Amino acid sequence: MPFFIKSKRKQSKSKTKNQRPQVSLSGEPSKRKRKKLRLQNEEIESESEIESDDGNRKADAVTSSDEEETAQEKKLRLAKEYLSNLEQEEADKREEDEIHRDIISHRLKQDLLEQSGKLQKLVADEYEQPSIDDLIVLRGHQLSVTCTVISPDKKHVFSGSKDCSIIKWDAMGGRRLHTIQGGRKGTEDTHTGHTDHVLCLAMSSDGKFLASGGRNKFVLLWNPDTCQLLHKFTGHRDSISGLAFRIGSHQLFSASHDRSVKIWNVDELAYIETLFGHSDAITGIDSLFRDRAITSGGRDASIRIWKVVEESQLVFNGDPGSIDCIAFINESNFVSGSDNNSLSVWSLMKKKPLVTVRNAHQGHDQNGNSSLRTNWITAVAALHNTDLLASGSKDGCIKLWKTCKNYTVLQPLFSIPMVGFVNSLVFSVDGQTLVAGIGQEHKLGRWWRIKEAKNGTRIINLKKKDA
């Protein structure tokens, strides 16, 4: 019995090795086989997922490598663009530096020519006859206007009069902006302003200071913006006949009928020195860039150029008569007007005029008679470093002149009708405006009276032909 059982087990084992998979009657695998197949399928799916993950990783790696290459190429491109921009900027800077150097060099040459008096711009032929529409009339003074000045920016005009007042005008609109009222004689210590005829005005080249003088024997310094009094310079013993600021500085020259010239430091509000030389009352003064001034000596028939640094003076003698007005053309040439109706152009290199125009202003008196002998040249002006001049008298017009052939010829350009005494003339810096002070009487006296004249200031807009 025990033997049979053992052999049967062995036989069953052998049968197990060789028998086919058990299949149910329905033809489907047995439950055990299904479980085994399910496990195998799970293993296959997991392997496929691993393989797909590996493929995705490889694709991502390829894509990321491509993106890294694109970023590198972008960086390289941006670097090249940055370098090209830097090169372009450096090239532009070099061009700008070259342009700036050219501009600076040209400006330095012009300044050198201006200071040496050799610069001359030929602009006179470009101007045309002004019309009535180009004239602005400023009425506000009760008596004759004796002096005018225009600000460097051409926005404002100041005028002084025999009524002892100073008026600030809007040059564009012709409106009165402010009036510095005159006072009665004897109130000099209490009144802020002039108490006698105002004879001269001057403004610094930067427009920060306005100076005025008159028969009160003192010079008043004003703020042009607010018209407030800043200081009073005293020292002259007679009427102040002329004032001039040195261009580019705050050095002020004052001329007086006491035959002296005084120099003032406006920044320090201080007196510097007094210059003597004229033997008669000084009638006019002017100054440019150099530390020097030019004066006309009235009845002593002389013109003097005061070299302040060298402490010397140049003397030029004119025709018998009174030299009443003077103006610099440039540092080497100047123009003067006399009471014998003559207009002269001078040079520093000669003691006599280069050219003189006799009977420069021809006209007639109220009775229709010729008045050549009484047409005093009362005002002259020059557009600095050009060939354009202007002169005025009482013959009813302002004349513009052209200098040519190295200042040896003086030709008339055209006349601007103007009834009355032309007591003051001044050009704007750019030459587009000419300001005139008009009165019924001469600024220094009452020898004649033109009743038809209207006391006031005239602004003349000068136009060029090509414009």
Side-chain angles (χ1 to χ4, degrees):
M1 196 60 188
F3 178 78
F4 175 75
I5 295 170
K6 187 175 181 181
S7 62
K8 191 175 181 178
R9 288 177 180 172
K10 288 181 180 179
Q11 188 178 0
S12 61
K13 288 179 180 179
S14 62
K15 287 181 180 179
T16 304
K17 291 180 181 178
N18 298 322
Q19 67 182 359
R20 295 181 179 178
Q22 297 179 2
V23 182
S24 64
L25 296 175
S26 60
E28 295 179 355
S30 63
K31 185 176 182 180
R32 183 177 178 184
K33 186 65 178 177
R34 286 198 303 270
K35 183 176 181 182
K36 185 176 181 181
L37 291 173
R38 186 172 65 252
L39 292 175
Q40 291 177 355
N41 292 334
E42 290 177 356
E43 290 177 358
I44 292 170
E45 289 176 358
S46 63
E47 289 178 358
S48 63
E49 289 177 356
I50 291 172
E51 290 177 356
S52 65
D53 291 340
D54 293 339
N56 291 335
R57 287 195 192 96
K58 291 180 181 179
D60 293 340
V62 172
T63 304
S64 62
S65 64
D66 293 339
E67 290 179 354
E68 287 179 359
E69 290 177 359
T70 304
Q72 290 177 357
E73 291 176 356
K74 185 177 181 181
K75 289 181 181 179
L76 182 60
R77 178 174 55 81
L78 293 176
K80 290 181 179 180
E81 290 179 358
Y82 178 71
L83 291 176
S84 64
N85 290 334
L86 286 180
E87 292 177 356
Q88 184 64 34
E89 288 179 2
E90 290 298 325
D92 294 340
K93 286 182 179 179
R94 284 195 296 270
E95 291 179 0
E96 290 179 358
D97 291 341
E98 291 177 359
I99 294 173
H100 291 328
R101 289 193 195 98
D102 294 339
I103 293 174
I104 293 172
S105 176
H106 180 67
R107 182 62 182 273
L108 290 175
K109 289 179 181 178
Q110 276 197 334
D111 292 343
L112 181 61
L113 291 174
E114 285 182 5
Q115 294 177 4
S116 62
K118 297 179 180 179
L119 178 64
Q120 184 185 24
K121 301 175 184 177
L122 304 178
V123 299
D125 289 331
E126 299 177 2
Y127 289 91
E128 63 181 6
Q129 174 83 37
S131 63
I132 298 177
D133 297 334
D134 298 325
L135 183 65
I136 301 176
V137 180
L138 307 178
R139 296 287 305 279
H141 290 288
Q142 300 299 320
L143 299 178
S144 298
V145 175
T146 57
C147 50
T148 56
V149 68
I150 185 170
S151 61
D153 57 5
K154 297 197 315 176
K155 292 182 179 180
H156 304 107
V157 171
F158 294 84
S159 60
S161 170
K162 285 187 175 183
D163 61 10
C164 312
S165 67
I166 299 173
I167 298 180
K168 178 182 179 180
W169 305 90
D170 178 10
M172 300 301 294
R175 296 181 297 108
R176 185 193 308 197
L177 301 178
H178 194 277
T179 301
I180 303 174
Q181 297 291 345
R184 295 181 179 179
K185 292 183 179 180
T187 62
E188 291 83 2
D189 296 334
T190 58
H191 178 72
T192 303
H194 291 275
T195 58
D196 209 335
H197 297 178
V198 180
L199 298 179
C200 50
L201 291 171
M203 181 175 284
S204 59
S205 57
D206 58 2
K208 291 185 177 180
F209 297 103
L210 173 70
S212 63
R215 289 189 173 179
N216 288 130
K217 307 177 185 179
F218 50 72
V219 178
L220 297 182
L221 189 66
W222 307 88
N223 183 339
D225 296 330
T226 61
C227 294
Q228 298 295 317
L229 181 64
L230 301 177
H231 191 69
K232 178 191 290 187
F233 294 108
T234 60
H236 282 292
R237 295 175 294 172
D238 206 338
S239 301
I240 310 297
S241 58
L243 293 168
F245 276 96
R246 178 187 171 194
I247 297 178
S249 73
H250 292 158
Q251 182 173 310
L252 176 64
F253 296 94
S254 63
S256 172
H257 289 173
D258 64 6
R259 299 173 292 177
S260 70
V261 176
K262 291 186 181 295
I263 306 175
W264 314 88
N265 187 332
V266 173
D267 289 326
E268 302 294 334
L269 301 178
Y271 158 80
I272 298 179
E273 64 176 315
T274 302
L275 308 175
F276 296 96
H278 283 289
S279 59
D280 195 48
I282 300 176
T283 56
I285 190 170
D286 197 12
S287 180
L288 283 182
F289 295 93
R290 293 184 181 179
D291 195 3
R292 58 178 60 178
I294 187 171
T295 55
S296 55
R299 289 291 170 185
D300 70 1
S302 71
I303 297 172
R304 294 175 185 261
I305 293 182
W306 309 86
K307 296 182 177 181
V308 178
V309 177
E310 295 87 345
E311 296 183 352
S312 62
Q313 54 184 284
L314 300 176
V315 183
F316 304 85
N317 295 313
D319 295 335
S322 177
I323 302 178
D324 290 342
C325 43
I326 193 76
F328 267 123
I329 300 174
N330 51 42
E331 294 288 359
S332 298
N333 301 93
F334 49 94
V335 58
S336 66
S338 303
D339 67 349
N340 59 5
N341 198 10
S342 64
L343 191 67
S344 301
V345 176
W346 306 69
S347 172
L348 291 179
M349 306 306 295
K350 291 187 177 182
K351 296 296 183 182
K352 293 295 182 179
L354 296 177
V355 59
T356 299
V357 177
R358 310 288 181 184
N359 301 325
H361 284 261
Q362 300 178 5
H364 298 84
D365 58 19
Q366 298 176 359
N367 298 323
N369 299 321
S370 178
S371 59
L372 297 179
R373 296 180 61 184
T374 58
N375 284 343
W376 299 356
I377 305 296
T378 53
V380 294
L383 184 57
H384 293 158
N385 300 306
T386 69
D387 58 345
L388 184 63
L389 306 177
S391 64
S393 182
K394 70 176 184 65
D395 64 337
C397 67
I398 296 172
K399 287 193 174 183
L400 270 69
W401 306 81
K402 171 189 174 182
T403 62
C404 51
K405 295 184 179 180
N406 200 19
Y407 303 99
T408 59
V409 176
L410 197 57
Q411 296 177 350
L413 288 177
F414 50 81
S415 298
I416 303 171
M418 198 67 59
V419 179
F421 280 88
V422 183
N423 290 320
S424 173
L425 286 172
V426 58
F427 281 102
S428 62
V429 177
D430 58 3
Q432 296 181 1
T433 306
L434 177 64
V435 181
I438 308 300
Q440 294 180 341
E441 301 171 349
H442 191 281
K443 64 179 179 180
L444 296 180
R446 304 186 65 183
W447 300 285
W448 303 277
R449 181 178 177 85
I450 303 175
K451 296 181 180 180
E452 297 81 9
K454 303 296 183 182
N455 298 320
T457 304
R458 310 292 191 268
I459 299 177
I460 305 165
N461 294 318
L462 301 177
K463 293 183 179 180
K464 294 186 177 182
K465 297 176 181 178
D466 55 357

